[in-house]
Amino acid sequence: MAKHLTIQQAGQSKGRTVFFTVCTFLTLAACICTAQVRLPQLISDGMVLQRDTKLNLWGWASPGEHITIQFNHQISKIIADAAGNWKTTMLPMKAGGPYQMDINARNHIIIKNILIGDVWFCSGQSNMVINMERVKERYPNEIATAEYPKIRNFFVATASDVRSVHQDLPAGKWISANPTDVLTFGAVSYFFARDSYLKYHVPIGIINSSVGGTPIQAWTSADGLKGIPKYADRLAQLKDTAYLNRLQNPAKPAIEQKAGIKQPDKGLSGELKWYEVNYQPKDWHKFWLPGYWADQGIKGLNGVVWFRKEIQVPARMAGKPAKLFVGRIVDADETYVNGVKVGNITYQYPPRRYTIPARVLKAGNNLIVVRVTNTSGKGGFVPDKRYELTDDTTTIDIRGDWQYKVGQVFGPVEETSNTIAPFSAQNEPAGLYNTMVAPVINYAVKGFVWYQGEANTFSPKEYNQLLPALISDWRAKWKIPDLPFLYAQLPNFMEVQYSPSESQWAEVREAQLHTLSVPKTGMAVAIDAGEWNDIHPLNKKDVGDRLALAAEKVAYGEKQLVSSGPIFQSAAIEGNKIIIRFTSVGSGLMIKDGTELNQFAIAGADKKFVWANAIIDGDRVVVTREEVSRPMYVRYAWADNPEGANLYNKEGLPASPFRTDSQ
């Protein structure tokens, strides 16, 4: 028995030893795991660091951890603080690379392929987001030749939070420009970066932090909005946890919002679907494409409308893969060729560019069917877009006579007093600053590039305060009061107005014009780069080029460079004339594509504007109208879409819209 007990005790002792060994190992492993140095998303392989300035490096580790960083002949030793945060600063470095960074602590990190050059923080809404893939048909040569390994892009994934400032960005990585990967680059920021690289031959890093449809106040910090009561008060509201919870998780209304009963889509309900080649159409109506169905006999319909067209395909296209361009559609579509679904998009803005697989097309008669769903506004096909079938050798225009039939009618939406608008943090004050700007402020940059304003056109007067507030806020956060800030003025958009009228888009452009009074700012005028029927115009190169010109002057010190079109300076009344003077005249004023100046309007004290006669007189423009004998005010290009605005300087840059009646 004793011996047995001894053996048993020995086994228990051995088991306890193993147990304690395992526990010790797991404890040490946990400590090592939590002790490992962690870096922010931006400090990673392929990054571009800002030249000629002190560089911040930062991250997280276990409290008290010793960290050594070796980079480009500099060594930095840091101890993490009690919260596990660490930060160090390295001396300024000249442009160059690629380099490698070694970070040693309880773990070892190597960051590879680092360049030192100029870093630009590019931000705004959808026109800053839109990538090169979206404009590839417009710029095929630029994409094919985009072999620039020293141009790098870091696209920030969307995240929003109205309460907390985040320490780090969502997951992302640095990508070099090549014909494949450049398709993911923002188009405006790529052309801007390419121009800067070709001009100065230093690496260019783009941090693209932008979200479609977002207002400027969402990109501004709580500190930056303190002086604007409307948004400061809103932020105070959002600090109330109970209130915010109600917004994020609204109670179900006592009487729910009801959409009218939806009957089944007749086009999908029968034995033969309306997109099938064997389906025989009956009682279909004529439709001219492109166009909206509200303008062609279908009034006030929200629902599903089917469109079909038979086209003749030559034998040389038969069996080959091809592309079908169906313009832009409001709102959603499903598109079929010979009964085969070739694509669908669920909202109105993207261009419809669908690939038709091999063996779908046949010689002779071919059927195209488009099922369009719309829930509000005018549904249909946006005019002045690309509508064609092509194999890059043969192109068939698909515009013209089509047939349509209504497949489904949506009943009217029944609103109740209890209906609560959905809450979206990305549209709230500071909601994007907290997540997509704050985590970047330790990262040294050359300056900012901003393309936004569309989402603020509903309250345009606010932009006079909001844009300077954003500039001041970001400069304060980066702790450099004169960091260059470049921005695109809103392009032309919407229907042409053939009489002088008011315009909220023009008011935002005016606010952007006035912001040039803020030091170290530059503006790219874009009233000739838009499209009347698309809030996302494809001409991104002119905008990027003009922003790069602004950078040359504002950020790179090219003081003699003409970087802008004519900018209104002053107006003087001389009898029945008003004399307008400009800055940024360059080599002189000129009329582009015409024999006389357009888009000048004049008014007397009553501010009833009429189109004016305007002539160039040296570096001035003289504005008159016989019927206005005592003129007081002038406007130029004051419209949503000032078609025909043609005052330029001889450097080929357009004049900014302006008015004198608000001076």
Side-chain angles (χ1 to χ4, degrees), residues 8-120:
Q8 186 181 38
Q9 289 169 351
Q12 290 172 341
S13 175
K14 184 177 180 181
R16 283 195 296 271
T17 301
V18 172
F19 175 75
F20 285 125
T21 301
V22 171
C23 287
T24 302
F25 173 79
L26 291 173
T27 301
L28 288 172
C31 290
I32 292 171
C33 181
T34 57
Q36 288 191 347
V37 168
R38 183 168 62 87
L39 299 171
Q41 293 291 328
L42 284 170
I43 300 179
S44 55
D45 289 349
M47 67 178 171
V48 182
L49 295 172
Q50 180 59 43
R51 62 174 171 156
D52 302 333
T53 190
K54 291 181 179 180
L55 295 174
N56 296 319
L57 300 172
W58 74 101
W60 306 273
S62 62
E65 182 155 7
H66 290 251
I67 303 153
T68 301
I69 300 177
Q70 299 180 64
F71 179 60
N72 199 16
H73 309 297
Q74 295 190 44
I75 298 176
S76 183
K77 296 186 177 183
I78 323 106
I79 300 174
D81 66 18
N85 299 306
W86 60 268
K87 183 179 178 183
T88 188
T89 302
M90 290 196 155
L91 296 175
M93 304 176 197
K94 297 297 181 184
Y99 301 112
Q100 178 174 295
M101 183 181 293
D102 281 79
I103 302 174
N104 285 287
R106 296 184 191 179
N107 60 322
H108 181 208
I109 300 174
I110 299 176
I111 304 176
K112 302 174 183 177
N113 194 18
I114 301 168
L115 298 177
I116 299 174
D118 289 335
V119 181
W120 290 90

Side-chain angles (χ1 to χ4, degrees), residues 397-418:
D397 190 340
I398 64 169
R399 295 174 300 172
D401 285 320
W402 284 55
Q403 292 178 297
Y404 79 84
K405 189 169 185 176
V406 176
Q408 188 176 19
V409 177
F410 300 163
V413 173
E414 185 179 311
E415 299 283 351
T416 78
S417 59
N418 294 323

Side-chain angles (χ1 to χ4, degrees), residues 285-299 404:
H285 306 279
K286 288 184 177 181
F287 186 88
W288 182 267
L289 187 149
Y292 301 102
W293 63 61
D295 300 327
Q296 299 193 43
I298 312 177
K299 185 178 180 181
Y404 79 84

Side-chain angles (χ1 to χ4, degrees), residues 327-341:
R328 197 163 69 79
I329 296 174
V330 183
D331 276 310
D333 77 289
E334 295 173 4
T335 298
Y336 303 83
V337 175
N338 291 336
V340 176
K341 185 175 178 178

Side-chain angles (χ1 to χ4, degrees), residues 267-453:
L268 299 174
S269 326
E271 184 176 342
L272 282 177
K273 310 300 186 280
W274 290 359
Y275 60 80
E276 295 185 69
V277 291
N278 293 329
Y279 168 76
Q280 295 298 315
K282 294 181 181 180
D283 302 323
W284 286 59
H285 306 279
K286 288 184 177 181
F287 186 88
W288 182 267
L289 187 149
Y292 301 102
W293 63 61
D295 300 327
Q296 299 193 43
I298 312 177
K299 185 178 180 181
L301 172 73
N302 293 322
V304 175
V305 182
W306 292 75
F307 298 86
R308 60 182 281 133
K309 182 179 181 67
E310 295 180 2
I311 61 170
Q312 294 298 308
V313 171
R316 61 182 176 274
M317 293 183 74
K320 294 182 180 179
K323 292 180 181 178
L324 179 65
F325 293 86
V326 201
R328 197 163 69 79
I329 296 174
V330 183
D331 276 310
D333 77 289
E334 295 173 4
T335 298
Y336 303 83
V337 175
N338 291 336
V340 176
K341 185 175 178 178
V342 296
N344 76 285
I345 290 177
T346 59
Y347 64 110
Q348 67 169 294
Y349 291 116
R352 272 53 173 183
R353 305 175 301 184
Y354 298 139
T355 298
I356 302 174
R359 296 183 295 278
V360 171
L361 292 179
K362 58 184 181 179
N365 198 50
N366 288 252
L367 175 67
I368 302 174
V369 175
V370 184
R371 178 181 183 264
V372 179
T373 304
N374 189 53
T375 55
S376 65
K378 295 173 72 171
F381 301 83
V382 176
D384 295 339
K385 294 294 181 180
R386 191 175 180 183
Y387 295 90
E388 63 187 30
L389 172 68
T390 181
D391 64 358
D392 295 329
T393 301
T394 302
T395 298
I396 299 172
D397 190 340
I398 64 169
R399 295 174 300 172
D401 285 320
W402 284 55
Q403 292 178 297
Y404 79 84
K405 189 169 185 176
V406 176
Q408 188 176 19
V409 177
F410 300 163
V413 173
E414 185 179 311
E415 299 283 351
T416 78
S417 59
N418 294 323
T419 300
I420 299 174
F423 173 80
S424 176
Q426 71 181 35
N427 294 322
E428 294 287 347
L432 293 171
Y433 170 84
N434 291 339
T435 52
M436 298 177 68
V437 181
V440 185
I441 61 175
N442 283 325
Y443 205 88
V445 298
K446 179 73 172 178
F448 310 110
V449 183
W450 177 251
Y451 191 166
Q452 191 276 341

Side-chain angles (χ1 to χ4, degrees), residues 397-561:
D397 190 340
I398 64 169
R399 295 174 300 172
D401 285 320
W402 284 55
Q403 292 178 297
Y404 79 84
K405 189 169 185 176
V406 176
Q408 188 176 19
V409 177
F410 300 163
V413 173
E414 185 179 311
E415 299 283 351
T416 78
S417 59
N418 294 323
T419 300
I420 299 174
F423 173 80
S424 176
Q426 71 181 35
N427 294 322
E428 294 287 347
L432 293 171
Y433 170 84
N434 291 339
T435 52
M436 298 177 68
V437 181
V440 185
I441 61 175
N442 283 325
Y443 205 88
V445 298
K446 179 73 172 178
F448 310 110
V449 183
W450 177 251
Y451 191 166
Q452 191 276 341
E454 297 93 334
N456 287 87
T457 53
F458 301 104
S459 300
K461 290 180 174 57
E462 292 180 353
Y463 215 75
N464 283 289
Q465 193 172 6
L466 285 167
L467 183 54
L470 176 83
I471 297 170
S472 177
D473 182 41
W474 285 6
R475 287 173 169 175
K477 296 301 183 185
W478 263 266
K479 298 180 180 178
I480 302 177
D482 61 350
L483 262 178
F485 191 99
L486 318 172
Y487 55 95
Q489 193 182 50
L490 287 184
N492 49 306
F493 177 53
M494 294 185 286
E495 291 83 357
V496 174
Q497 296 155 304
Y498 287 93
S499 297
S501 58
E502 300 303 321
S503 165
Q504 292 179 313
W505 277 62
E507 288 187 56
V508 171
R509 292 188 198 108
E510 180 181 59
Q512 293 167 326
L513 175 64
H514 289 169
T515 302
L516 286 174
S517 64
V518 177
K520 295 296 285 264
T521 57
M523 182 180 74
V525 177
I527 56 166
D528 57 348
E531 299 176 29
W532 77 267
N533 55 3
D534 202 333
I535 201 169
H536 303 132
L538 297 180
N539 185 356
K540 294 293 186 274
K541 185 176 183 299
D542 281 348
V543 180
D545 291 349
R546 290 168 187 175
L547 287 166
L549 276 176
E552 290 179 34
K553 185 159 191 174
V554 175
Y556 293 103
E558 308 267 358
K559 293 183 180 179
Q560 302 306 312
L561 178 74

Side-chain angles (χ1 to χ4, degrees), residues 14 249 251 280-281 513 562 594 619-620 631 662:
K14 184 177 180 181
N249 304 288
Q280 295 298 315
L513 175 64
V562 180
D619 290 345
R620 314 178 306 168
S662 64

